[in-house]
Amino acid sequence: MSTPKLSPDGERILFSTRRNGNLFVVFRELSNQDLHPVSVPDKMDLNWYRWAGNNRILVSVSQTVPWFGDEARKSYLMSIDTTTMKIEFIGKASQGLEGDDLLYVDPSGDWALLSIQRTPYDYPSVFKARLDTGRLTEIQSPSNSIWEWYADNTGVVRVGVSYRARNWTLHYRSSDQGGFKKLATISYDDEQRAGLIEGIRVIGGSDEGYILAAPQNGRYALHRYNYATQAVGERIFGHDQNDIADFDMNADGTVSAAYFTDDRMRVHWFDPAQQEMHRNVEKALGTKHGQLVSRSRDGTVKLYHVGASNDPGSYYIFRESTGVMSVLVRINSDLKPARLSPSTYVSYKTRDGLTIHGNLTLPIGREAKGLPLIILPHGGPYGIRDSIGYEVEVQFLASRGYAVLQPNYRGSGGYGDAHIKAGEGAIGRRMQDDLDDGMDWLVQEGIVDAKRVCMVGSSYGGYAALWAVTRNPERYRCAASFAGVTDWKRMLKYDAKFLSRSGLRRFRNKVQGEESFDLDAVSPLAQAQRLERPVLVAQGEDDTNVPPKQAKLYVAALKTHRKDVEYVSYKDEGHGLDDPANLTDWLKRLEAFLARHNPA
């Protein structure tokens, strides 16, 4: 059971799962175990899913399509009636590349607002979509230069955003009548309002709303915000060490909850009774970690995951009416915590004085001295971070005798504006230094052996692994990559989310840094002839985040240069391994590869 979500009334649960090699989105009643599966279309990747009212499900899928002589990612929105199981593809016939840019969903589930760019030559329009028939009605025509639209909490389009160079401009209107007023242009370097673009929330019928703003300590906090005057108002909630990552609003426009991560994900409730209830739940769980996963619309039914870094855990349903938490499903109950390795939240200094936090997992039953090391950087890279929790790959590697370090290198999310900005123009450069410096710290502590280090990762982490052995073969004995980027120029061209928007320039600035910098200098494909260490490369054939061509071109180049490469591709897999049989195969290959090149 992956990523479960409660229905608004708290009586049903929605999740994804694999059966016999096929990927499904499934719903069921909490009161019984009868499953109602919806198959993800063949050759498509599952992006996300959610409830739209109590009797409808929205599912985003994507596939790689030919695009002006190359490839691009195209996304679609599926609407499923849970009573009839009828499926509608919303706007499929009239959309461009992005078909799942959802602005608002009617609480009843009857309609939704979608931003759709009809062709690559148009700015996006906003359509009101009937979710039962798929019928589209344009309610906001394209506006010159506006690439992003936002609705308030009542479903009225109130905000548009345009981009230019290193600035963005807010376009605003006070109601559903009249045109949009162009407000001041805001620099990406404006620490007070940089978070506005990530957390636009306007309260219907007013000019008031909220913003994630960075005050003097550089940590994003939740503030009130006047969209007409652009005045940053009262600080509602913040944390001294970590950014507020997201927040929820009630129907009346007040804030119900805010979310942040320290060593693990946390929630703060604004209703004192809800906050006290949450404290009591955490107290009852003791040493176990209880993470809120989903809740009913009125908040009286909650879904918790209860586990630990060395415990896959269980999902529990908590009903406030009874005050009882009951087990919904246990995950991998054959895996006993006593046989697994707990993770510790750690920190170290980089060569330029930055503090890097991360997770360190040491194999149980072995002295923490002179251990072989696997550095396991997260994907993303920007705005993502690792937190303490159960991770299959981490536990597998630790069980084989390896120390595992997961650094939240510069650019990772949650550590403030300065940490994010330090990652701009740092891919393959200072960002890579952070990983090397983590290795040096563990060597200096005597925990690991400097001569027995490999890097393993997925997505951006896969790139970092391939680049580590290319850039610093004296440090790393081998590298393993799943769905890793190998060619940054090709990746930027491919990424449909940014290709179809002016945000491409914004993302390119983060990745490239100086305009004069040649991304080939930090791309494993362009530097294939430099490789001196063995690499294991794996790829899902249906991946729409990092297209399979990234791996195939790289492997072909390595073979041309007679380099030591092992390659495996997985049919019907996307940007991860959903089929347990494929995950098993990957772990066995990884184990054998490491045993040859970095034995524990």
Side-chain angles (χ1 to χ4, degrees), residues 354-415:
L354 197 67
T355 298
I356 301 296
H357 300 276
N359 304 333
L360 177 63
T361 307
L362 301 179
I364 59 171
R366 296 189 63 171
E367 184 182 3
K369 182 178 180 181
L371 294 169
L373 172 66
I374 302 296
I375 298 179
L376 191 70
H378 63 72
Y382 298 107
I384 309 298
R385 63 178 286 176
D386 280 319
S387 57
I388 295 290
Y390 181 81
E391 294 189 33
V392 171
E393 214 165 34
V394 171
Q395 290 300 325
F396 182 81
L397 292 168
S399 74
R400 266 51 181 176
Y402 297 98
V404 183
L405 178 66
Q406 300 169 273
N408 286 321
Y409 47 80
R410 67 190 69 204
S412 300
Y415 294 105

Side-chain angles (χ1 to χ4, degrees), residues 22-298:
N22 299 313
L23 181 60
F24 296 91
V25 174
V26 181
F27 68 92
R28 52 162 278 204
E29 306 289 334
L30 290 181
S31 58
N32 65 64
Q33 297 191 26
D34 294 339
L35 303 181
H36 305 274
V38 178
S39 179
V40 174
D42 191 34
K43 301 298 180 184
M44 286 193 176
D45 212 356
L46 176 62
N47 302 320
W48 54 261
Y49 46 86
R50 57 160 292 169
W51 288 97
N54 294 311
N55 300 303
R56 188 171 300 280
I57 298 165
L58 298 180
V59 179
S60 167
V61 295
S62 57
Q63 65 182 160
T64 299
V65 298
W67 193 253
F68 291 94
D70 210 321
E71 295 179 321
R73 175 181 179 270
K74 189 170 185 176
S75 62
Y76 309 91
L77 186 64
M78 298 168 59
S79 173
I80 300 104
D81 186 318
T82 62
T83 303
T84 65
M85 299 303 286
K86 180 184 176 183
I87 299 175
E88 287 284 346
F89 277 86
I90 308 297
K92 185 176 181 180
S94 58
Q95 71 170 73
L97 285 176
E98 189 175 21
D100 63 347
D101 189 3
L102 200 61
L103 309 186
Y104 177 83
V105 177
D106 169 45
S108 68
D110 292 334
W111 57 275
L113 298 185
L114 275 172
S115 175
I116 295 178
Q117 184 187 10
R118 288 186 179 274
T119 76
Y121 311 104
D122 298 319
Y123 289 99
S125 303
V126 179
F127 294 88
K128 184 175 182 178
R130 289 290 311 178
L131 297 178
D132 53 352
T133 65
R135 182 174 178 269
L136 298 180
T137 303
E138 187 179 58
I139 63 167
Q140 176 61 55
S141 59
S143 179
N144 187 35
S145 79
I146 293 182
W147 287 100
E148 300 276 3
W149 293 105
Y150 296 87
D152 64 23
N153 67 321
T154 65
V156 176
V157 179
R158 301 280 300 279
V159 176
V161 176
S162 59
Y163 303 99
R164 186 180 299 276
R166 299 189 67 83
N167 302 301
W168 56 275
T169 301
L170 202 69
H171 304 254
Y172 177 76
R173 64 179 180 177
S174 293
S175 69
D176 60 351
Q177 304 296 317
F180 284 79
K181 178 182 178 182
K182 183 178 178 180
L183 301 180
T185 296
I186 300 169
S187 167
Y188 294 134
D189 296 328
D190 184 339
E191 294 185 4
Q192 269 292 310
R193 291 180 293 179
L196 175 61
I197 198 72
E198 307 298 338
I200 290 176
R201 304 280 208 289
V202 187
I203 301 171
S206 77
D207 292 321
E208 296 298 319
Y210 304 96
I211 178 180
L212 295 174
Q216 290 183 351
N217 71 353
R219 301 293 187 268
Y220 285 100
L222 178 60
H223 287 252
R224 297 191 186 279
Y225 190 75
N226 186 291
Y227 282 82
T229 65
Q230 301 179 82
V232 179
E234 173 195 4
R235 180 180 186 266
I236 300 174
F237 181 72
H239 190 278
D240 291 340
Q241 299 300 318
N242 303 100
D243 292 329
I244 304 306
D246 200 3
F247 58 96
D248 293 334
M249 287 171 59
N250 295 311
D252 63 0
T254 58
V255 180
S256 59
Y259 304 90
F260 65 96
T261 301
D262 43 30
D263 61 333
R264 57 191 175 96
M265 288 181 280
R266 311 277 184 176
V267 59
H268 171 81
W269 297 97
F270 289 87
D271 179 347
Q274 286 285 341
Q275 183 68 2
E276 180 63 22
M277 185 81 71
H278 183 67
R279 288 195 193 98
N280 290 337
V281 168
E282 289 196 323
K283 182 178 179 181
L285 293 175
T287 58
K288 296 289 186 182
H289 296 168
Q291 180 186 329
L292 179 67
V293 174
S294 183
R295 61 184 174 122
S296 60
R297 184 174 291 157
D298 64 7

